[in-house]
Amino acid sequence: MAATSRRTTPATPRPNASASAGSNTSGRRRGEVGKQKGAGGALSSIQRRLPGWLSSLEGPRKLAINGLVVIVSMLGSGVVLKDALKQVAVIDTISVPKDLEADGYTPATMGQRIIDAVTQVNRNAAMTRRIGTYTLSEVDPLEPESADYESPGRAHSSDSASAFTLTSDDPSKKYDVSVSGVSLTTVILHLRELFGVSDTRISGEVTVEHPPAVGLSGKDEKSPPKKFSIRLRISDKGHVQYEAEATDKLETLVEQAALRLVERFEPLDAAYYSYHKRDYDNALRIVRAYLADQTKKERQWASNLLGLIEHARYGHDDARVETGYDNAIAAFRKLRTSDPKFAPALYNLSFVLIDKGKKRLKEDPNSEKGRELFTEAYEVAREGIAIDETADRTSRKRAVGYATAGRALRFLGQWESAKYDEALSYFDRSTGVDPTFMYAYFSQGAIHNERNAPDDAIAKYQLATEINPSAQIFTRAGAYLRKYERHSDAVPMFQKAADLKPSANAYAYWGMALRASARPEEAREIFERAIETDPTSPNAYNQLGLMYLDQQKWDEAADNFTRAIKASPQWSNYYYNLGRALRGAGKFGDAIAAFKKANDIYRSHPKSQAELDATRMELDLQQKGTVVGETARNVEEN
């Protein structure tokens, strides 16, 4: 530590202010000047000797400072020492090629984007742990006209509880602990040096490929999109290298890199995030490896995730969905036995029991088995609430419990209408302890719709959009309104969502509401805007085709379904819709081929509803006998 001092220069005597100044004044000034010269000499002597004196105290000084650091840390706050000793992961340098840097993606920018992506992964993982099955519980705006399932999104606020954070190599950002408003960054740095704690360093580089486009004539045509790759090097106790698959979307590359970093340091967070993104295979891979490692501590959270995955992975396969429910119920019941005070498993078990009961009601509206499942779900949710209330758990956890009990009561209301009032009360308790838990508002709106009180329902949806006026919440509100066939009311919700976050899907949802509101020309314009936004989006073509199908414009419909198939060739609904358009145009042979293709996609699975519909259409056409056969031959000849 360098010592600094301020040099003092003797003051210069001022001339007499007037000729009448007395000799006493002159003598006093001469005496003051003498004193100043003496003081200046003494200071100069101290300045000459000070560096040597400080140098002789260098060893004891370091010892004193280190001791002071420890004492201050202990007295200030225990979190200081904890922060000093934790493992810190630091983005070192992410180099980028010159053409990418010219677009504004500097090494610093790329590093910060990875830091932001890691933060988002942690936040979503924490939210998913807290609300469990509710993460994937949104109403699908596309049903029943398309099986395209892309979640409207989630907007529950949540604090990240992850122990792993990624930061830049700036001490003020790495160690931001303060006590009584005083920054302790320097203290933490000294403590880390004292205990020999080092940072994990992460570096790497982004590369860009420019694949040339060669046409049939052998001449270069319009170049395809650039392909981005990233290579990361993680240096702590060892040296690990990771290289992501090439992609034409830089955002995807950043997300992949962030997820791999989280998996390296907090694998369970990476697994919950993968579940959140509906990447069930990756989530299952990570959580199984986590459970196989006997040193891992959060085993109840890992087992909880296994149940969540089982519940969700067959959610859109009618033939296997109940198998998923049963597997999930078994997983949560096992966890209930091994960890009886683990309330999240009880809430998730209750949720799955309700879903199984809903399936029973769909098969038989008077199903007594369904009623038994809802009753059990309510009791299980109450068990979890009692645990959280006794332990004085956080409000957000109790909000999930109250909402789950309300959900069970909502379905019990089909047998006893008074249960609807109890359900509304539980949802009020849920939003009372966590006003950001949007699901409770939407559930209350659903109850009002079921009780034929649409104005009350809209008020709840409107309240949700006011509390969280995001694109996701407007989309969900529109989806609930469409579910209850209030299409005109859904239009402004989807419009606001598209204005806030324009995308092909946002415009498609908006167009669907317009089409269902008998405003076809406006719908056509919005569908075309969706296609302009993303020409590779299959659903925009599919929805435009459905509009033409309603208008019996068979050729226009078939053209759009064909474009949808080109964008997503493994989606059976597009072939099914194409078959409907071709049948309307009298092209029976081609229609049969389209229906068969829809069946082929599901050949390795048990019968699904889409397959059954396609089979029925195919058989219906074939039963027309020789007329169909003759028409098919004519089509083939032409």
Side-chain angles (χ1 to χ4, degrees):
M1 179 181 295
T4 60
S5 61
R6 185 167 51 197
R7 185 178 298 277
T8 304
T9 303
T12 303
R14 292 171 51 195
N16 290 340
S18 69
S20 62
S23 60
N24 289 338
T25 304
S26 300
R28 185 167 58 251
R29 290 187 182 276
R30 284 194 298 271
E32 290 174 353
V33 169
K35 290 179 181 179
Q36 290 173 359
K37 287 182 178 179
L43 287 174
S44 298
S45 177
I46 292 174
Q47 289 169 358
R48 288 193 300 269
R49 296 176 182 178
L50 184 60
W53 180 64
L54 290 175
S55 177
S56 67
L57 295 177
E58 185 66 20
R61 183 184 68 85
K62 284 187 175 181
L63 181 61
I65 288 176
N66 286 333
L68 181 63
V69 163
V70 174
I71 293 171
V72 170
S73 300
M74 294 298 185
L75 293 177
S77 175
V79 298
V80 176
L81 187 59
K82 179 180 178 182
D83 205 62
L85 299 181
K86 75 179 182 181
Q87 188 66 45
V88 178
V90 177
I91 282 283
D92 217 350
T93 301
I94 304 294
S95 61
V96 297
K98 291 183 178 180
D99 57 346
L100 195 58
E101 191 168 357
D103 293 335
Y105 295 100
T106 64
T109 301
M110 186 58 62
Q112 187 59 50
R113 291 188 69 173
I114 294 176
I115 291 172
D116 293 342
V118 165
T119 301
Q120 188 63 45
V121 169
N122 290 337
R123 182 180 296 116
N124 287 340
M127 178 270 292
T128 304
R129 287 198 193 201
R130 180 175 69 86
I131 68 174
T133 330
Y134 287 97
T135 304
L136 308 181
S137 66
E138 287 84 8
V139 173
D140 182 3
L142 303 177
E143 292 179 348
E145 294 171 299
S146 168
D148 259 348
Y149 190 85
E150 180 160 336
S151 167
R154 287 149 287 279
H156 306 297
S157 65
S158 176
D159 298 325
S160 174
S162 174
F164 167 68
T165 56
L166 184 63
T167 184
S168 64
D169 201 12
D170 180 350
S172 65
K173 293 181 179 180
K174 286 193 289 184
Y175 319 112
D176 57 357
V177 174
S178 63
V179 177
S180 301
V182 179
S183 174
L184 297 180
T185 300
T186 303
V187 174
I188 292 173
L189 287 172
H190 278 294
L191 279 173
R192 291 176 68 80
E193 181 180 358
L194 181 65
F195 289 103
V197 179
S198 61
D199 296 336
T200 295
R201 316 296 298 190
I202 298 168
S203 60
E205 57 271 342
V206 176
T207 58
V208 181
E209 301 175 15
H210 300 271
V214 179
L216 295 176
S217 61
K219 298 180 179 180
D220 287 347
E221 296 182 350
K222 184 179 179 180
S223 298
K226 301 175 183 178
K227 291 285 187 180
F228 302 101
S229 299
I230 190 169
R231 182 182 296 108
L232 295 177
R233 288 177 294 278
I234 306 172
S235 301
D236 42 20
K237 295 180 180 179
H239 191 74
V240 178
Q241 189 162 295
Y242 160 70
E243 187 165 1
E245 294 183 6
T247 176
D248 59 353
K249 294 183 178 179
L250 200 57
E251 294 77 10
T252 302
L253 192 73
V254 170
E255 182 185 25
Q256 289 176 352
L259 185 58
R260 182 52 65 98
L261 290 175
V262 175
E263 183 180 348
R264 162 79 172 173
F265 298 100
E266 291 290 333
L268 202 52
D269 279 356
Y272 269 94
Y273 180 79
S274 296
Y275 165 80
H276 166 87
K277 299 291 286 187
R278 292 181 170 81
D279 187 355
Y280 304 126
D281 290 340
N282 195 48
L284 199 58
R285 173 187 65 81
I286 298 172
V287 76
R288 283 176 174 167
Y290 187 94
L291 287 169
D293 187 344
Q294 297 300 318
T295 66
K296 300 299 183 182
K297 296 180 180 179
E298 295 186 299
R299 304 185 71 80
Q300 74 273 35
W301 283 107
S303 299
N304 181 67
L305 181 55
L306 284 178
L308 294 178
I309 295 170
E310 289 292 348
H311 168 256
R313 65 194 309 199
Y314 301 129
H316 290 84
D317 187 337
D318 288 341
R320 295 195 290 175
V321 66
E322 188 152 1
T323 299
Y325 293 160
D326 291 340
N327 291 343
I329 289 170
F332 291 130
R333 281 179 172 161
K334 181 179 179 181
L335 188 51
R336 182 188 188 186
T337 301
S338 62
D339 290 87
K341 298 299 183 181
F342 187 64
L346 296 172
Y347 300 148
N348 290 328
L349 171 58
S350 177
F351 196 105
V352 181
L353 289 169
I354 295 169
D355 276 358
K356 186 172 180 177
K358 286 172 60 181
K359 189 173 188 302
R360 288 283 189 270
L361 286 187
K362 187 176 180 180
E363 297 166 351
D364 177 9
N366 298 314
S367 171
E368 189 61 32
K369 179 61 177 176
R371 185 175 184 175
E372 292 174 4
L373 288 166
F374 297 139
T375 302
E376 181 185 357
Y378 174 69
E379 296 300 330
V380 170
R382 286 291 305 141
E383 182 182 337
I385 291 170
I387 292 170
D388 275 344
E389 288 180 340
T390 301
D392 194 24
R393 296 282 166 78
T394 62
S395 296
R396 286 178 170 178
K397 288 185 178 180
R398 295 204 309 273
V400 175
Y402 296 142
T404 307
R407 185 172 187 252
L409 289 166
R410 170 191 165 189
F411 290 102
L412 285 170
Q414 298 180 52
W415 286 273
E416 187 179 346
S417 59
K419 296 295 185 184
Y420 283 130
D421 294 323
E422 290 185 57
L424 290 172
S425 175
Y426 266 102
F427 288 125
D428 280 337
R429 294 171 70 182
S430 179
T431 57
V433 295
D434 186 357
T436 68
F437 194 38
M438 295 294 113
Y439 183 90
Y441 298 107
F442 290 122
S443 295
Q444 287 181 314
I447 291 175
H448 290 311
N449 273 317
E450 290 165 5
R451 300 176 85 174
N452 198 26
D455 291 339
D456 291 336
I458 293 174
K460 287 297 180 181
Y461 302 148
Q462 186 65 37
L463 179 59
T465 61
E466 290 171 1
I467 292 173
N468 191 340
S470 64
Q472 294 90 341
I473 295 303
F474 279 116
T475 300
R476 290 189 65 184
Y480 271 90
L481 288 165
R482 280 211 64 206
K483 180 180 179 181
Y484 293 97
E485 299 185 357
R486 298 190 62 83
H487 305 292
S488 296
D489 294 320
V491 169
M493 296 294 182
F494 287 126
Q495 182 177 357
K496 289 176 182 177
D499 290 342
L500 287 169
K501 192 174 182 180
S503 68
N505 273 326
Y507 288 125
Y509 302 156
W510 180 8
M512 290 161 60
L514 286 167
R515 185 186 63 213
S517 302
R519 296 157 67 179
E521 284 307 307
E522 294 176 71
R524 179 183 57 78
E525 292 177 4
I526 298 302
F527 288 140
E528 288 175 350
R529 192 185 302 184
I531 293 170
E532 290 174 4
T533 303
D534 184 3
T536 66
S537 173
N539 186 52
Y541 295 111
N542 183 55
Q543 298 302 330
L544 185 57
L546 287 168
M547 191 193 75
Y548 286 131
L549 203 63
D550 292 340
Q551 298 173 342
Q552 297 186 3
K553 295 181 178 180
W554 311 118
D555 291 337
E556 290 91 336
D559 179 61
N560 278 280
F561 294 138
T562 301
R563 291 172 183 267
I565 290 169
K566 183 178 180 181
S568 183
Q570 294 303 314
W571 204 257
S572 67
N573 273 37
Y574 302 155
Y575 289 100
Y576 171 64
N577 291 336
L578 176 60
R580 293 166 64 194
L582 293 169
R583 181 190 61 174
K587 302 175 181 178
F588 299 111
D590 291 340
I592 291 174
F595 290 134
K596 282 183 175 179
K597 182 62 177 178
N599 282 331
D600 290 342
I601 293 175
Y602 284 93
R603 184 173 295 170
S604 60
H605 302 286
K607 296 290 183 182
S608 66
Q609 188 60 48
E611 183 182 6
L612 292 173
D613 288 342
T615 302
R616 177 176 57 78
M617 289 290 189
E618 180 187 347
L619 293 175
D620 181 57
L621 289 175
Q622 290 176 345
Q623 287 172 359
K624 296 183 184 295
T626 57
V627 175
V628 174
E630 188 65 30
T631 304
R633 282 193 296 274
N634 291 336
V635 169
E636 290 173 359
E637 290 172 1
N638 293 330

